[in-house]
Amino acid sequence: MNVLVALLALAAQSKNPEYDHWSNCKVGSWTKLKAEGDVQGQKVVMDSTHTLLELAAEKAVVERKQKRTVAGKEEPEESEKAPVPSDNDPDPVKIEKEGDEEIEVATKKVKCHWIQGTQGQMKVKMWLSKEIPGGIAKGEMSVPGAVSLTIVATSWEKK
């Protein structure tokens, strides 16, 4: 399961919110994210970098490089170039609450729109910012007894 892809699908701005958050950036924009938590009783740490490679009206192409440590064991870095269509959100989140808030991430204060809801069995709360390429400032997700993760943007460059 690509946790970060699922989290990006949270904003309810258009048919594909992930595309919306990349569409206000130029090619070469990037974000580094750190996820920490527990997955089925094992400590997990993920560091990922998302870079915008292409942007057109019908899709964006984002390279996602991810390095994961599970239960203290480092796994090989994974990399994928993923198309992000402008007109399709395949797994939308049922939003139950939302609002606006300024939070601090990576020693910067950013204006965010937060949403809270469910996606299947998963409970999620996300702080999304137009200032950050891809949108994720912070996220919390959990499935009782299975997953508990917190994700935070650690650095970014919006071109």
Side-chain angles (χ1 to χ4, degrees):
M1 164 174 68
N2 190 332
V3 172
L4 299 175
V5 172
L7 291 173
L8 285 170
L10 296 175
Q13 296 174 6
S14 77
K15 292 183 181 179
N16 191 344
E18 181 182 3
Y19 175 85
D20 289 343
H21 283 284
W22 285 109
S23 68
N24 66 2
C25 301
K26 293 181 181 174
V27 169
S29 297
W30 55 267
T31 300
K32 290 188 179 189
L33 301 164
K34 183 172 197 89
E36 295 183 279
D38 182 272
V39 176
Q40 298 178 339
Q42 296 187 10
K43 181 178 177 171
V44 174
V45 177
M46 292 181 283
D47 291 299
S48 62
T49 302
H50 298 207
T51 304
L52 182 62
L53 299 179
E54 298 175 32
L55 182 62
E58 68 281 352
K59 72 176 180 177
V61 177
V62 177
E63 179 180 50
R64 297 181 178 113
K65 292 183 180 180
Q66 180 173 287
K67 204 163 189 188
R68 188 172 32 224
T69 303
V70 179
K73 183 180 177 189
E74 284 189 30
E75 297 179 357
E77 182 177 80
E78 297 175 358
S79 181
E80 69 172 341
K81 292 180 183 174
V84 181
S86 63
D87 63 353
N88 181 19
D89 185 357
D91 194 13
V93 171
K94 179 181 176 190
I95 297 173
E96 297 162 355
K97 296 180 185 177
E98 60 185 308
D100 295 306
E101 179 180 4
E102 185 175 78
I103 66 170
E104 187 172 321
V105 291
T107 69
K108 300 174 187 170
K109 290 193 180 230
V110 293
K111 293 179 183 178
C112 294
H113 182 74
W114 63 267
I115 60 172
Q116 186 173 335
T118 58
Q119 186 175 34
Q121 296 180 350
M122 189 179 340
K123 294 182 182 279
V124 295
K125 184 167 184 182
M126 293 296 301
W127 290 261
L128 301 162
S129 176
K130 293 179 180 180
E131 300 172 41
I132 299 174
I136 296 177
K138 180 180 175 182
E140 299 168 350
M141 60 182 290
S142 65
V143 175
V147 175
S148 175
L149 285 174
T150 300
I151 297 172
V152 178
T154 58
S155 61
W156 60 87
E157 181 181 9
K158 184 175 180 179
K159 296 182 178 186

